[in-house]
Amino acid sequence: MASSKHLSFCISTKGRDHDVLRLCESLSQLVSLGFEDWEIIFVDQNADSRIQPIAETYRKRLPQVDYVSTPHEQGASKGRNVAAEIARGRWLLFVDDDAWMIPGVFSLITQQIIPGDEDILWLGRMVDHKGNPIKKEYPTTSRFITDSRDLWAVSGFILIARRVWNQVGPYDEHLGVGTHFGGDEDTDLVLRAMAQGCRILFDPELCYGHVPNPHPSDEKVLGLARGRGALLRKYETTAFGPGLKQALRSYLWEMRWKRPVVMALGQKESAHHKALILSGVPQGYQDWRAIYG
C-alpha cells in the first residue's frame, strides 16, 4: 500500500484487551506532543472481537485507528503481516499487545528516526514498569549490529522502513507466538534484512514498556526454545549459521550449569524451565528439519 503516513503501529492481539487499553493510552501521548501523522492497526484474533469496542473508542482520540478481525487466522506473525498489508506508514513499528510506549521515545522516533536514513532497521529494548531492562545483556550504548551472534541479545523492538519491509518481509508465519515454533520471528526478520545489506542499529534509548512474565507456562517456554532451535536450522547453511550456532551453544551451556545451581537453591520452577529449554531447542531444530528440510 502506498505510504500516506509517517508511522504505522502494527499490532496483532489475542486475549489482552486490558493491555491494549494501556497501550492506547500510552499512544495518546503522541497527540499531546503535537505529532499526529501516524496510525495504529489492530488485528484482532479473538473469537469475540473484544478489541473492536476499544478501537471504536480510540478512533475519537487518535489520528487514525484501523481494525481487522481475523479469528480464524491465528499467530502473531500472521497478524503482523495482515497489519503491514493495511499500513500506510513510511515506517512500520511492530508492537506487542502487552507493551506500552514510553513518552521520551517519541522524540527519538519523530525527530531522529523518521527524518533519517530508511536503510537502517532500528532495534531497541524492553523495560519493566520501573524502567529496568527485561534482558540483562542489552548493550548500554548505541551500536550497529553486524554479527548474528549478537541478535538474540537485542531483537524484540523492530522499527523498519516500508521500503525495506517490502524487500525483506513478511514475517515467517511458521515462527512466533501461536505456532509450534513459538519465538524468534523477529530475529528471523532481522537476519533477512542483514542478508539484504540493511544496516541494523541498536539504540538503548529506543525502548518500550513490557510486562515481565515471571511464571511462563511450560508450553510458552518450550515454544520459545523450539523457535530458537528452528532458527538455527533455517540459517545453518548460510553465512549466519556459524554465529548463530556459537551463540546457541553458549546459551545452552549456561542453561546446563545454571540448572543444578537453581535446583540447589530451591528454585524448582526455574530448574524445570531450564530443562524444558535444553530439550526444546534440539526438538525445534529436528522438527524444523523434518518439516521444512
Side-chain angles (χ1 to χ4, degrees), residues 15-292:
R16 287 175 170 164
D17 43 317
H18 295 295
D19 294 320
V20 168
L21 276 169
R22 179 182 54 208
L23 173 59
C24 287
E25 277 301 304
S26 70
L27 287 173
S28 67
Q29 297 175 69
L30 261 177
V31 178
S32 64
L33 292 172
F35 181 66
E36 297 192 14
D37 196 7
W38 59 279
E39 64 181 355
I40 182 169
I41 302 104
F42 288 113
V43 178
D44 185 357
Q45 296 184 340
N46 294 289
D48 58 4
S49 302
R50 66 181 66 179
I51 304 302
Q52 188 170 16
I54 299 174
E56 293 295 337
T57 297
Y58 279 89
R59 279 195 177 114
K60 304 170 185 176
R61 298 177 54 187
L62 303 179
Q64 178 75 38
V65 177
D66 286 327
Y67 171 86
V68 182
S69 177
T70 62
H72 302 298
E73 295 185 0
Q74 298 295 303
S77 291
K78 187 179 289 291
R80 289 171 180 169
N81 288 339
V82 171
E85 289 180 7
I86 298 169
R88 292 168 292 181
R90 191 165 57 87
W91 286 86
L92 308 177
L93 176 53
F94 295 97
V95 185
D96 291 344
D97 57 357
D98 59 347
W100 64 92
M101 300 305 296
I102 297 172
V105 174
F106 292 140
S107 296
L108 175 63
I109 293 175
T110 59
Q111 297 175 19
Q112 182 176 342
I113 296 177
I114 289 177
D117 190 344
E118 292 188 3
D119 289 327
I120 296 176
L121 184 152
W122 291 76
L123 300 176
R125 63 194 180 107
M126 298 178 289
V127 299
D128 62 18
H129 288 90
K130 297 181 180 179
N132 299 315
I134 290 180
K135 290 184 180 180
K136 294 180 180 179
E137 63 269 29
Y138 281 128
T140 57
T141 59
S142 176
R143 64 186 178 94
F144 284 98
I145 306 298
T146 58
D147 193 325
S148 59
R149 290 176 295 181
D150 298 329
L151 284 179
W152 276 315
V154 297
S155 58
F157 181 117
I158 293 180
L159 181 58
I160 183 172
R162 161 66 70 179
R163 183 165 59 82
V164 176
W165 169 264
N166 290 342
Q167 295 173 354
V168 305
Y171 278 98
D172 187 334
E173 295 179 0
H174 302 108
L175 294 168
V177 175
T179 74
H180 180 68
F181 307 102
D184 273 314
E185 73 283 2
D186 50 352
T187 312
D188 172 66
L189 183 68
V190 175
L191 284 168
R192 279 184 273 145
M194 291 176 72
Q196 292 290 329
C198 180
R199 289 178 294 164
I200 313 299
L201 180 59
F202 171 83
D203 191 331
E205 297 302 315
L206 187 64
C207 58
Y208 66 91
H210 196 278
V211 180
N213 185 0
H215 305 290
S217 67
D218 286 3
E219 183 54 37
K220 176 71 172 179
V221 175
L222 267 175
L224 289 169
R226 288 193 295 257
R228 190 155 292 194
L231 190 77
L232 173 61
R233 176 55 189 168
K234 182 175 180 178
Y235 288 94
E236 188 173 26
T237 59
T238 72
F240 301 121
L244 292 174
K245 186 174 293 186
Q246 182 178 341
L248 191 53
R249 188 181 295 119
S250 297
Y251 174 68
L252 293 177
W253 179 82
E254 181 181 0
M255 293 298 104
R256 288 190 185 97
W257 76 258
K258 282 186 174 180
R259 182 169 178 262
V261 173
V262 296
M263 180 65 79
L265 293 172
Q267 300 174 9
K268 294 183 179 180
E269 183 184 45
S270 179
H272 174 60
H273 286 167
K274 287 172 175 56
L276 291 177
I277 291 169
L278 289 168
S279 64
V281 169
Q283 179 188 356
Y285 177 95
Q286 294 294 343
D287 289 350
W288 187 274
R289 183 169 65 176
I291 299 171
Y292 306 111

